[in-house]
Amino acid sequence: MSEQPIIYMNGDFVPLSEAKISILDQGFLLGDGVFDVVSAWKGSLYKLDAHIERFFQSLQAAMLNTSMSHDDWRAAIIETVRRNELQDATIRFIVTRGVSTKVVADPRDFEPTIIIWPAPYIFLADEQKRAEGIRLFISHLRAFTPDSLDPRYKCLDRLHFQLAKIEALDAGCDDVVWLTQGGHVGEGPASNLFIARGGKLFTPGDGILHGITRQAFMEIAAEAGIECIEANLTPFDLYSADELFTCSTAGGALAVREIAGRKIQGPVPGPITQKLDRLYWEKRESGTDGTPLY
Ligand SMILES: Cc1ncc(COP(=O)(O)O)c(C=O)c1O
């Protein structure tokens, strides 16, 4: 990797120390912007088009327009990672509503700020926790509703995610999930959730960001002949699961050994979690659904 990370900013490639936004940027002032995170492993970006498609859905819903097409984003992401000479990378791409010089500004009247920031690959948990499983907290904070801030917006406005995570860490846990307003299990600040029970998988279908990794695990489960059902789950379902795992771009499956003070019954990671995670990484390493970087 080059001495300083190279960042793509508004059409230019600049070293991190020069990649600056204005304090008048609406992304900074109001959390007004959307983003996505794709990863590369062994020189191959995984499901890049699915990430860009999800990003475009957020841009469209948030009424944020850039002059960049899907192919332009593809090319810019690939070129930014190449310039950083990374093989295993986590790449965050962001559009904010940008800058206005007026104090009370018309939100329709902005030039968006565009950023692509690649970093070495990030795992949500260290090696020991990946091997032994994590302790998961259930937050008292609830998910936004679809008629307020639909969880499908992958947006910068994440204060409540941060609070939920801080409370979980303060309680001695590793990560957090929250419930929807209806009391069903939602998701965590950077991951979706699956349970295994009686040889079947269950995962929440509503009130969540539809994770690309969640989709990958559903596909892998189908290929492995494991039925996966999108269902309204309650905390009781988590407590009584045979296996429980979170999943995200930051590391694939992460087994849970304890949920809100209850130890998961069977072995951790359980056999289904282990099998699906192994197949996930095999897929990634084989280049399936991958975009080679070099
Ligand atoms: C709220 C939320 N849920 C789920 C996920 C997992 O999505 P993915 O599998 O695309 O990383 C993320 C990723 O950052 C997220 O922010």
Side-chain angles (χ1 to χ4, degrees):
M1 193 176 163
S2 36
E3 262 173 44
Q4 262 205 57
I6 302 294
I7 310 293
Y8 176 94
M9 269 204 85
N10 300 326
D12 296 321
F13 295 96
V14 292
L16 180 64
S17 58
E18 288 169 32
K20 303 236 161 68
I21 61 157
S22 164
I23 61 155
L24 302 183
D25 194 290
Q26 300 290 294
F28 169 69
L29 287 175
L30 302 177
D32 180 357
V34 302
F35 73 104
D36 214 292
V37 181
V38 65
S39 69
W41 192 253
K42 301 210 166 148
S44 177
L45 289 158
Y46 188 57
K47 289 191 180 270
L48 175 60
D49 291 311
H51 281 278
I52 297 176
E53 268 160 38
R54 182 175 67 179
F55 183 55
F56 268 69
Q57 287 173 11
S58 282
L59 285 171
Q60 158 73 11
M63 295 195 274
L64 281 162
N65 302 307
T66 72
S67 54
M68 289 170 73
S69 66
H70 184 117
D71 284 349
D72 294 337
W73 275 101
R74 239 179 167 274
I77 290 166
I78 293 169
E79 183 57 23
T80 314
V81 185
R82 278 188 188 152
R83 287 187 185 224
N84 285 277
E85 296 170 22
L86 290 166
Q87 295 283 340
D88 305 330
T90 295
I91 306 106
R92 185 172 288 247
F93 43 112
I94 306 162
V95 172
T96 81
R97 206 165 301 277
V99 179
S100 167
T101 49
K102 299 188 192 111
V103 176
V104 180
D106 181 338
R108 295 166 303 181
D109 188 17
F110 286 89
E111 271 297 304
T113 300
I114 297 168
I115 299 165
I116 302 173
W117 166 34
Y121 188 89
I122 295 164
F123 284 97
L124 270 187
D126 64 26
E127 217 169 307
Q128 190 182 350
K129 284 183 179 153
R130 295 208 298 279
E132 292 176 357
I134 59 166
R135 299 176 70 209
L136 201 56
F137 188 74
I138 300 181
S139 179
H140 67 94
L141 295 163
R142 296 285 176 111
F144 284 109
T145 52
D147 59 348
S148 52
L149 189 60
D150 193 306
R152 287 176 296 175
Y153 282 100
K154 196 160 166 62
C155 59
L156 299 181
D157 186 345
R158 295 196 154 214
L159 177 62
H160 70 305
F161 289 16
Q162 292 288 78
L163 296 178
K165 181 85 182 211
I166 291 167
E167 287 174 9
L169 295 173
D170 278 352
C173 292
D174 303 298
D175 207 351
V176 61
V177 286
W178 49 78
L179 308 181
T180 64
Q181 294 289 332
H184 296 121
V185 174
E187 61 188 332
S191 25
N192 295 116
L193 196 92
F194 283 86
I195 65 168
R197 202 172 48 211
K200 291 182 187 164
L201 278 177
F202 300 84
T203 189
D206 296 322
I208 55 164
L209 180 82
H210 289 134
I212 305 297
T213 321
R214 170 184 179 272
Q215 184 58 38
F217 273 81
M218 289 169 78
E219 289 163 10
I220 292 165
E223 286 160 16
I226 299 168
E227 191 180 351
C228 179
I229 300 156
E230 291 183 280
N232 284 332
L233 303 173
T234 68
F236 189 95
D237 295 311
L238 307 188
Y239 306 152
S240 57
D242 300 334
E243 298 177 38
L244 174 57
F245 68 90
T246 65
C247 72
S248 78
T249 296
L254 191 51
V256 176
R257 67 182 164 89
E258 193 182 305
I259 169 79
R262 283 89 167 165
K263 291 207 182 337
I264 292 296
Q265 293 303 297
V268 177
I272 293 183
T273 310
Q274 277 194 41
K275 178 171 184 175
L276 295 179
D277 196 47
R278 179 176 48 77
L279 293 170
Y280 169 79
W281 286 104
E282 279 174 12
K283 250 194 179 183
R284 293 201 60 156
E285 295 194 6
S286 73
T288 311
D289 293 328
T291 302
L293 281 160
Y294 303 101

